[in-house]
Amino acid sequence: MTALLRIESVSKTFPGVKALDRVSFEVESGSVHAVMGENGAGKSTLMQIVAGVLRPDGGELIFEGEALHLRSTRDAAARGIAIVFQELNLAPNLTVAENISLGIEPRALGLFVNRLELRARAAAILTQLGIRLNLDARVGDLTIAQQQLIEICKSLVHTPRLLILDEPTSSLSETETTLLFRVIANLKAAGVTILYISHRMREVFTICDAVTILRDGKHVRTMPLAATDQDEIVRLMVGRDLANIAKPSDHATARPIVLSVRDLSDGRQYQEISFDLRRGEIVGLSGLVGAGRSEMALGLFGAPAPERGDMTLDGVPVKIGSPSRAMRLGIALVPEDRKLLGLVLGLGVGSNVSLAALARLSRAGLIDFGAETTLVGRYIDRFRIKTPSREQLVGLLSGGNQQKVVLAKWLATNPRVLIVDEPTRGVDVGTKAEIYTLMRELAAEGLAILVISSDLPEVLAISDRILVMRQGRLVGELAHAEATEERIMALAALEHATSAA
Ligand SMILES: Nc1ncnc2c1ncn2[C@@H]1O[C@H](COP(=O)(O)OP(=O)(O)OP(=O)(O)O)[C@@H](O)[C@H]1O
Ligand SMILES: [Mg+2]
């Protein structure tokens, strides 16, 4: 057993945050090594140190037996280390081939970009990974999953010996994840060592050889996956007991209807959608990626308004022409893409939490700052948002903690109807359990909740009732008691649809 990388007592402090505290462990050559831990545990920080993005305050990295002193990702690339970041970093207006060589374009006479060479290089990498993509396609027109694969291609231009993947699957569906796993297997067979960050247990047990667990910036354990199980990993990660999630129930049907939707259509992405949402009920909305779930949810929120259809709120007919109208009527939407619609990255945590609730916190046009401070404090506590202060810029929080801020922001508006689209993407196991418990508590207080999720275990764990969409239409409904992963999939995918309905 030889170590490709030895991390020795590495520390890193940001203003107000000790992100890494004397972390030491080894990564075996040729292995796929998982790094796990709660949101804010220090995973991305450590990976960025190994990749030359950040410099450690203390400690050392030994790579192939020699000390590493990296000043940039370029330095790291020269030593054979590449990273694919948690957030995508592509140029949407450039082509696939251009993106793969972005910043390291082959040049003729040291001047002009050699386009032939550029295309040849991209084609070679795509072939090596078994990915079929048009070299001239504009990256902005591709799916998130395809973009994720291009990020990986980009990192392979210098044929790394160590490849770091920071939550590569958080926006991938099951099929796309399988494709990525094939790519990882190919790389491993070619002798590349991989550091793999993920919150998904199933994945880690499928493709990784060893796991390192970080907690609060400290190293907890490194061990072969063959010698452990899920429960032990969760215990080591969380360091406390997980919240017990209250079970969904089947007797929500007696409650009054809050939101009633009839024949909603936008003429393209969803058609003839009809359903009711009751007080105190959590309804799951399931379906394959692209079934029109997010578009329909945005329609309910007036972003944009549907072309046809009727809606009533507490029995009163309403027209929801815009998001601001939806918010005034008590409908809140937590969007799928937190950067696009959810957060203002240049504002502090506190301002983001209270932003959407300001109307409610104002008296005669003046913001009640006392009430605002109390509200923000309550949500930071209730969601365990890991931040040194309420003034910290949201953009500096770890990915999972940003997700919690979006949820807090919309709950702070005190809505009647809450629509959440993929609420736990990138969220760690402990926080997931807390978010489920919180949604259950809010339902018990009378809120009606519609949850879109591609994570089947999640839908089953939290929904009183499950609606299934396929190709823009509602194709079935399952009560909690009769729902299983198989039945949902049978409705969501075209095959067997009729036999299960
Ligand atoms: N540039 C920065 N400035 C200030 N604080 C930072 C910065 N980068 C990270 N942090 C803080 O350092 C801690 C560790 O963050 P890191 O991103 O490494 O967590 P993580 O384990 O990757 O979490 P997640 O699972 O949510 O992605 C967090 O408290 C985070 O808010
Ligand atoms: Mg991270």
Side-chain angles (χ1 to χ4, degrees):
M1 160 174 152
T2 48
L4 179 75
L5 173 69
R6 289 212 320 265
I7 295 169
E8 290 183 351
S9 199
V10 165
S11 295
K12 178 77 186 175
T13 304
F14 295 113
V17 187
K18 183 127 207 169
L20 292 171
D21 187 5
R22 288 160 293 160
V23 170
S24 305
F25 66 95
E26 292 186 357
V27 179
E28 204 180 315
S29 185
S31 67
V32 181
H33 191 117
V35 179
M36 299 190 81
E38 291 189 280
N39 297 133
K43 304 179 295 293
S44 294
T45 304
L46 181 62
M47 295 307 116
Q48 288 177 28
I49 288 173
V50 176
V53 182
L54 295 171
R55 258 176 287 173
D57 304 335
E60 251 198 320
L61 301 175
I62 314 288
F63 186 70
E64 298 180 317
E66 284 173 44
L68 272 184
H69 297 285
L70 305 173
R71 255 163 289 131
S72 64
T73 47
R74 204 174 278 256
D75 272 5
R79 294 294 304 266
I81 301 172
I83 183 167
V84 175
F85 293 104
Q86 191 166 358
E87 312 286 343
L88 291 172
N89 264 312
L90 297 169
N93 286 319
L94 298 184
T95 67
V96 169
E98 286 164 345
N99 265 283
I100 289 177
S101 290
L102 195 64
I104 40 171
E105 295 87 354
R107 298 201 181 256
L109 307 170
L111 204 62
F112 303 104
V113 174
N114 181 344
R115 303 203 58 88
L116 270 178
E117 170 75 31
L118 189 91
R119 289 175 55 91
R121 188 194 260 178
I125 293 172
L126 288 172
T127 312
Q128 179 200 344
L129 297 182
I131 302 169
R132 241 169 286 143
L133 267 183
N134 179 357
L135 291 178
D136 302 312
R138 219 180 61 98
V139 159
D141 296 332
L142 302 179
T143 65
I144 297 282
Q146 290 170 326
Q147 295 187 17
Q148 188 75 63
L149 291 172
I150 292 177
E151 285 281 12
I152 296 173
C153 292
K154 222 169 110 178
S155 69
L156 294 178
V157 169
H158 285 303
T159 20
R161 284 186 295 288
L162 176 66
L163 175 64
I164 302 168
L165 300 172
D166 194 348
E167 295 199 39
T169 57
S170 62
S171 47
L172 301 191
S173 72
E174 210 95 346
T175 348
E176 293 153 342
T177 301
T178 312
L179 175 63
L180 176 70
F181 285 3
R182 215 183 61 212
V183 169
I184 291 177
N186 286 348
L187 290 171
K188 185 180 169 179
V192 180
T193 304
I194 292 166
L195 272 166
Y196 188 85
I197 301 186
S198 175
H199 289 293
R200 299 187 184 171
M201 283 293 173
R202 233 197 272 187
E203 283 181 3
V204 166
F205 277 92
T206 309
I207 58 161
C208 299
D209 304 300
V211 59
T212 286
I213 291 144
L214 299 180
R215 184 166 76 227
D216 286 332
K218 295 191 180 65
H219 178 259
V220 177
R221 181 96 55 93
T222 295
M223 57 192 165
L225 276 158
T228 184
D229 58 27
Q230 292 206 12
D231 289 346
E232 185 182 32
I233 292 181
V234 170
R235 240 181 357 261
L236 293 172
M237 264 167 50
V238 178
R240 61 188 146 77
D241 284 331
L242 284 187
N244 262 327
I245 310 162
K247 288 268 174 323
S249 68
D250 284 318
H251 41 257
T253 40
R255 307 228 180 83
I257 293 171
V258 181
L259 175 71
S260 181
V261 176
R262 290 293 173 270
D263 291 325
L264 216 62
S265 291
D266 77 338
R268 283 186 319 128
Q269 316 258 35
Y270 55 92
Q271 286 99 42
E272 293 164 33
I273 304 286
S274 300
F275 67 91
D276 294 327
L277 208 55
R278 292 165 187 277
R279 263 182 81 85
E281 172 178 58
I282 301 182
V283 173
L285 181 56
S286 204
L288 300 180
V289 171
R293 296 169 301 162
S294 299
E295 290 77 10
M296 192 269 279
L298 285 165
L300 296 175
F301 192 61
E307 259 180 17
R308 278 187 307 283
D310 299 307
M311 281 168 67
T312 62
L313 256 181
D314 287 320
V316 181
V318 289
K319 272 262 167 287
I320 296 175
S322 67
S324 57
R325 176 87 186 123
M327 279 164 66
R328 272 201 305 281
L329 288 167
I331 299 180
L333 173 83
V334 178
E336 186 178 18
D337 184 345
R338 60 173 177 259
K339 269 202 201 147
L340 216 63
L341 293 164
L343 291 176
V344 185
L345 294 180
L347 278 183
V349 171
S351 309
N352 269 283
V353 169
S354 61
L355 198 62
L358 284 183
R360 198 164 64 86
L361 293 168
S362 304
R363 299 277 170 276
L366 294 176
I367 297 169
D368 178 347
F369 283 106
E372 198 246 10
T373 307
T374 314
L375 176 107
V376 167
R378 201 168 69 225
Y379 279 102
I380 290 178
D381 284 354
R382 198 170 179 184
F383 279 58
R384 294 163 165 274
I385 295 173
K386 196 173 172 201
T387 177
S389 76
R390 53 161 294 166
E391 277 79 34
Q392 182 81 334
L393 296 183
V394 156
L396 296 181
L397 296 192
S398 75
N401 280 291
Q402 292 186 16
Q403 186 64 32
K404 295 194 225 175
V405 175
V406 192
L407 271 172
K409 166 181 165 174
W410 290 106
L411 286 176
T413 63
N414 213 4
R416 283 192 271 188
V417 174
L418 175 70
I419 306 167
V420 284
D421 198 349
E422 306 288 355
T424 60
R425 169 175 298 167
V427 166
D428 67 58
V429 276
T431 309
K432 256 187 203 168
E434 281 161 20
I435 289 178
Y436 298 160
T437 303
L438 197 85
M439 292 209 283
R440 194 39 73 190
E441 282 169 19
L442 292 162
E445 290 163 20
L447 190 65
I449 306 179
L450 182 69
V451 187
I452 302 177
S453 172
S454 298
D455 185 352
L456 289 178
E458 170 165 301
V459 170
L460 289 168
I462 56 176
S463 312
D464 299 315
R465 206 149 55 88
I466 296 163
L467 303 173
V468 184
M469 270 180 87
R470 184 178 70 232
Q471 297 180 343
R473 289 169 195 275
L474 274 180
V475 291
E477 177 178 335
L478 297 163
H480 168 67
E482 55 177 357
T484 60
E485 288 197 24
E486 292 72 27
R487 293 181 108 155
I488 297 175
M489 281 314 289
L491 286 168
L494 209 53
E495 309 86 44
H496 325 300
T498 38
S499 61

Coordinates of all heavy atoms in Angstrom, one line a residue, residues 225-276:
L225 N -14.1 1.2 3.2 CA -15.5 1.1 3.3 C -16.0 -0.3 3.6 O -17.0 -0.5 4.2 CB -16.1 1.6 2.0 CG -16.3 3.1 2.0 CD1 -16.3 3.7 0.6 CD2 -17.5 3.5 2.8
A226 N -15.1 -1.3 3.2 CA -15.5 -2.7 3.5 C -15.6 -2.9 5.0 O -16.2 -3.9 5.5 CB -14.5 -3.6 2.9
A227 N -14.9 -2.0 5.8 CA -14.9 -2.3 7.3 C -15.9 -1.4 8.0 O -15.9 -1.3 9.2 CB -13.5 -1.9 7.8
T228 N -16.9 -0.8 7.3 CA -17.8 0.0 8.0 C -19.2 -0.1 7.4 O -19.5 -0.9 6.5 CB -17.4 1.5 8.0 OG1 -18.3 2.3 8.8 CG2 -17.3 2.0 6.6
D229 N -20.2 0.6 8.0 CA -21.5 0.7 7.4 C -22.1 2.1 7.5 O -21.5 2.9 8.2 CB -22.5 -0.4 8.0 CG -22.6 -0.2 9.5 OD1 -22.4 1.0 10.0 OD2 -22.8 -1.1 10.3
Q230 N -23.3 2.3 6.9 CA -23.9 3.6 6.9 C -24.1 4.2 8.3 O -23.8 5.3 8.5 CB -25.3 3.5 6.2 CG -25.3 3.2 4.8 CD -26.5 3.7 4.1 OE1 -27.3 4.5 4.6 NE2 -26.7 3.3 2.8
D231 N -24.6 3.4 9.2 CA -24.9 3.9 10.5 C -23.7 4.4 11.2 O -23.7 5.5 11.8 CB -25.5 2.8 11.4 CG -26.9 2.4 10.9 OD1 -27.5 3.2 10.1 OD2 -27.5 1.4 11.3
E232 N -22.6 3.7 11.0 CA -21.4 4.1 11.7 C -20.9 5.5 11.1 O -20.5 6.4 11.8 CB -20.2 3.1 11.6 CG -19.0 3.5 12.3 CD -17.8 2.5 12.2 OE1 -17.7 1.9 11.2 OE2 -17.1 2.5 13.2
I233 N -21.0 5.6 9.8 CA -20.5 6.8 9.1 C -21.4 8.0 9.6 O -20.9 9.1 9.9 CB -20.6 6.7 7.6 CG1 -19.5 5.7 7.1 CG2 -20.4 8.0 6.9 CD1 -19.5 5.5 5.6
V234 N -22.7 7.8 9.6 CA -23.6 8.9 10.1 C -23.2 9.3 11.5 O -23.1 10.5 11.8 CB -25.1 8.4 10.0 CG1 -26.0 9.5 10.7 CG2 -25.5 8.2 8.6
R235 N -23.0 8.3 12.4 CA -22.6 8.6 13.8 C -21.4 9.4 13.8 O -21.3 10.4 14.5 CB -22.5 7.3 14.5 CG -23.4 7.2 15.7 CD -23.3 5.9 16.5 NE -22.4 4.9 16.2 CZ -22.7 3.8 15.5 NH1 -24.0 3.6 15.2 NH2 -21.8 2.9 15.2
L236 N -20.4 9.0 13.0 CA -19.1 9.7 13.1 C -19.2 11.1 12.5 O -18.6 12.1 13.0 CB -18.0 8.9 12.3 CG -17.6 7.6 12.9 CD1 -16.7 6.8 11.9 CD2 -16.9 7.8 14.2
M237 N -20.1 11.3 11.5 CA -20.2 12.6 10.8 C -21.0 13.6 11.7 O -20.6 14.7 11.8 CB -21.1 12.4 9.6 CG -20.3 12.3 8.3 SD -21.3 11.7 6.9 CE -22.6 12.7 6.9
V238 N -22.0 13.1 12.3 CA -23.0 14.0 13.0 C -22.6 14.2 14.5 O -22.7 15.3 15.0 CB -24.4 13.4 12.9 CG1 -25.4 14.2 13.6 CG2 -24.8 13.3 11.4
G239 N -22.1 13.1 15.1 CA -21.6 13.2 16.5 C -22.7 13.5 17.5 O -22.5 13.9 18.6
R240 N -24.0 13.3 17.0 CA -25.2 13.4 17.9 C -26.3 12.6 17.3 O -26.1 12.1 16.2 CB -25.6 14.9 18.0 CG -26.0 15.4 16.7 CD -26.3 16.9 16.8 NE -25.9 17.6 15.5 CZ -26.6 17.5 14.4 NH1 -27.8 16.9 14.4 NH2 -26.2 18.1 13.3
D241 N -27.4 12.4 18.1 CA -28.4 11.6 17.5 C -29.2 12.4 16.5 O -29.5 13.5 16.7 CB -29.4 11.1 18.7 CG -28.7 10.0 19.4 OD1 -27.9 9.2 18.8 OD2 -29.0 9.9 20.6
L242 N -29.6 11.7 15.5 CA -30.5 12.3 14.4 C -31.9 12.6 15.0 O -32.4 11.8 15.7 CB -30.5 11.5 13.2 CG -29.3 11.4 12.3 CD1 -29.6 10.7 11.0 CD2 -28.9 12.8 12.0
A243 N -32.5 13.7 14.5 CA -33.8 13.9 14.9 C -34.7 12.8 14.4 O -34.5 12.3 13.3 CB -34.3 15.3 14.2
N244 N -35.7 12.4 15.2 CA -36.7 11.4 14.7 C -37.7 12.1 13.8 O -38.4 13.1 14.2 CB -37.4 10.8 15.9 CG -36.7 9.5 16.3 OD1 -36.3 8.8 15.4 ND2 -36.7 9.2 17.6
I245 N -37.9 11.6 12.6 CA -38.8 12.2 11.7 C -40.2 11.7 12.0 O -40.4 10.5 12.0 CB -38.5 11.9 10.2 CG1 -37.0 12.2 10.0 CG2 -39.4 12.7 9.3 CD1 -36.5 11.6 8.7
A246 N -41.2 12.6 12.2 CA -42.6 12.2 12.4 C -43.1 11.5 11.1 O -42.7 12.0 10.0 CB -43.4 13.4 12.7
K247 N -43.9 10.5 11.2 CA -44.3 9.7 10.1 C -45.5 10.5 9.3 O -46.3 11.1 10.0 CB -44.9 8.4 10.5 CG -43.8 7.4 11.0 CD -43.3 6.6 9.8 CE -42.1 5.7 10.2 NZ -41.1 6.2 11.0
P248 N -45.5 10.3 8.0 CA -46.6 10.9 7.3 C -47.9 10.1 7.7 O -47.8 9.1 8.3 CB -46.3 10.5 5.8 CG -44.9 10.2 5.8 CD -44.5 9.7 7.1
S249 N -49.1 10.7 7.4 CA -50.3 10.1 7.9 C -51.2 10.1 6.7 O -51.1 10.8 5.7 CB -51.0 10.9 9.0 OG -51.4 12.1 8.5
D250 N -52.3 9.3 6.8 CA -53.2 9.1 5.7 C -54.6 9.8 6.0 O -55.5 9.8 5.2 CB -53.5 7.7 5.3 CG -52.3 7.1 4.6 OD1 -51.8 7.8 3.7 OD2 -51.9 6.0 4.9
H251 N -54.7 10.4 7.2 CA -56.0 11.0 7.5 C -56.0 12.5 7.3 O -56.9 13.2 7.8 CB -56.4 10.7 8.9 CG -55.3 10.7 9.9 ND1 -54.7 9.6 10.4 CD2 -54.7 11.7 10.5 CE1 -53.8 9.9 11.3 NE2 -53.7 11.2 11.3
A252 N -55.1 13.0 6.5 CA -55.1 14.5 6.2 C -56.3 14.8 5.3 O -56.6 16.0 5.1 CB -53.8 14.9 5.5
T253 N -56.9 13.8 4.7 CA -58.0 14.1 3.7 C -59.2 14.8 4.2 O -60.0 15.4 3.5 CB -58.5 12.7 3.1 OG1 -58.5 11.8 4.1 CG2 -57.6 12.3 2.0
A254 N -59.4 14.8 5.6 CA -60.6 15.4 6.2 C -60.4 16.9 6.3 O -61.3 17.6 6.5 CB -60.8 14.8 7.5
R255 N -59.1 17.4 6.1 CA -58.9 18.8 6.4 C -59.4 19.7 5.2 O -59.5 19.3 4.1 CB -57.4 19.0 6.5 CG -56.8 18.1 7.6 CD -55.9 18.9 8.5 NE -55.3 18.0 9.5 CZ -54.2 17.3 9.3 NH1 -53.6 17.4 8.1 NH2 -53.7 16.5 10.2
P256 N -59.6 21.0 5.5 CA -60.1 21.9 4.5 C -59.1 22.1 3.4 O -57.9 22.1 3.6 CB -60.4 23.2 5.2 CG -59.7 23.1 6.5 CD -59.5 21.7 6.8
I257 N -59.6 22.4 2.2 CA -58.7 22.6 1.0 C -58.2 24.0 1.0 O -59.0 25.0 1.2 CB -59.4 22.3 -0.3 CG1 -59.8 20.8 -0.4 CG2 -58.6 22.8 -1.5 CD1 -60.7 20.5 -1.6
V258 N -56.9 24.2 0.9 CA -56.3 25.6 0.9 C -56.2 26.0 -0.6 O -56.7 27.0 -1.0 CB -54.9 25.6 1.5 CG1 -54.3 27.0 1.5 CG2 -55.0 25.1 2.9
L259 N -55.5 25.2 -1.4 CA -55.2 25.5 -2.8 C -55.9 24.5 -3.7 O -55.7 23.3 -3.5 CB -53.7 25.5 -3.0 CG -53.3 25.8 -4.5 CD1 -53.5 27.3 -4.9 CD2 -51.8 25.5 -4.7
S260 N -56.6 25.0 -4.6 CA -57.3 24.2 -5.6 C -56.9 24.6 -7.0 O -57.0 25.8 -7.3 CB -58.8 24.2 -5.4 OG -59.4 23.4 -6.3
V261 N -56.4 23.7 -7.8 CA -55.9 24.0 -9.1 C -56.7 23.2 -10.1 O -56.9 22.0 -10.0 CB -54.4 23.6 -9.2 CG1 -53.9 23.8 -10.6 CG2 -53.6 24.4 -8.2
R262 N -57.2 23.8 -11.2 CA -58.0 23.1 -12.2 C -57.5 23.4 -13.6 O -57.4 24.6 -14.0 CB -59.5 23.5 -12.1 CG -60.2 22.9 -10.9 CD -60.3 21.4 -10.9 NE -60.9 20.9 -9.7 CZ -60.1 20.5 -8.6 NH1 -58.8 20.6 -8.6 NH2 -60.7 20.1 -7.5
D263 N -57.1 22.4 -14.4 CA -56.8 22.5 -15.8 C -55.7 23.5 -16.1 O -55.8 24.3 -17.1 CB -58.0 22.9 -16.6 CG -59.0 21.7 -16.6 OD1 -58.5 20.6 -16.7 OD2 -60.2 21.9 -16.6
L264 N -54.7 23.5 -15.3 CA -53.6 24.5 -15.5 C -52.7 24.1 -16.7 O -52.3 22.9 -16.7 CB -52.7 24.5 -14.2 CG -52.1 25.9 -13.8 CD1 -53.3 26.9 -13.5 CD2 -51.3 25.7 -12.5
S265 N -52.5 25.0 -17.6 CA -51.6 24.7 -18.7 C -50.7 25.9 -19.1 O -51.2 27.0 -18.9 CB -52.4 24.4 -20.0 OG -53.1 23.2 -19.9
D266 N -49.5 25.7 -19.5 CA -48.8 26.8 -20.1 C -48.6 26.6 -21.6 O -47.9 27.3 -22.3 CB -47.4 26.9 -19.4 CG -46.4 25.9 -19.9 OD1 -46.8 24.8 -20.4 OD2 -45.2 26.1 -19.7
G267 N -49.3 25.5 -22.1 CA -49.3 25.3 -23.5 C -48.0 24.6 -24.0 O -47.9 24.2 -25.2
R268 N -47.0 24.4 -23.1 CA -45.7 23.7 -23.6 C -45.2 22.7 -22.6 O -45.1 21.5 -22.9 CB -44.6 24.8 -23.7 CG -44.8 25.7 -25.0 CD -43.6 26.6 -25.1 NE -43.2 27.1 -23.9 CZ -41.9 27.1 -23.4 NH1 -41.0 26.5 -24.0 NH2 -41.7 27.7 -22.2
Q269 N -45.0 23.1 -21.4 CA -44.3 22.2 -20.4 C -45.2 21.4 -19.5 O -44.9 20.4 -19.0 CB -43.3 23.0 -19.5 CG -42.5 24.1 -20.3 CD -41.1 23.6 -20.5 OE1 -40.9 22.4 -20.7 NE2 -40.2 24.5 -20.5
Y270 N -46.4 22.0 -19.3 CA -47.4 21.2 -18.5 C -48.8 21.5 -19.0 O -49.1 22.6 -19.5 CB -47.3 21.6 -17.0 CG -47.4 23.1 -16.7 CD1 -48.7 23.6 -16.4 CD2 -46.3 23.9 -16.7 CE1 -48.8 25.0 -16.1 CE2 -46.4 25.2 -16.4 CZ -47.7 25.8 -16.1 OH -47.8 27.1 -15.8
Q271 N -49.7 20.5 -18.9 CA -51.1 20.6 -19.4 C -52.1 20.0 -18.5 O -51.8 18.9 -17.8 CB -51.2 19.8 -20.8 CG -50.5 20.4 -22.0 CD -49.2 19.8 -22.2 OE1 -49.1 18.6 -22.1 NE2 -48.2 20.6 -22.5
E272 N -53.2 20.6 -18.4 CA -54.4 20.1 -17.7 C -54.1 19.5 -16.3 O -54.4 18.4 -16.0 CB -55.0 18.9 -18.6 CG -55.6 19.5 -19.9 CD -55.9 18.3 -20.8 OE1 -56.2 17.2 -20.4 OE2 -55.7 18.6 -22.1
I273 N -53.4 20.4 -15.6 CA -53.0 20.0 -14.2 C -54.1 20.3 -13.2 O -54.5 21.5 -13.2 CB -51.7 20.7 -13.7 CG1 -50.6 20.5 -14.7 CG2 -51.4 20.3 -12.3 CD1 -50.0 19.1 -14.6
S274 N -54.7 19.3 -12.5 CA -55.7 19.6 -11.5 C -55.4 18.8 -10.3 O -55.1 17.6 -10.3 CB -57.1 19.1 -12.0 OG -57.4 19.7 -13.2
F275 N -55.4 19.5 -9.1 CA -55.2 18.9 -7.8 C -55.6 19.8 -6.7 O -55.8 21.0 -6.9 CB -53.8 18.4 -7.6 CG -52.7 19.5 -7.5 CD1 -52.4 20.0 -6.3 CD2 -52.1 20.0 -8.7 CE1 -51.5 21.0 -6.2 CE2 -51.2 21.0 -8.6 CZ -50.9 21.5 -7.3
D276 N -55.8 19.3 -5.5 CA -56.1 20.0 -4.3 C -55.0 19.9 -3.3 O -54.3 18.8 -3.2 CB -57.4 19.6 -3.7 CG -58.6 19.8 -4.6 OD1 -58.5 20.8 -5.3 OD2 -59.5 19.0 -4.5

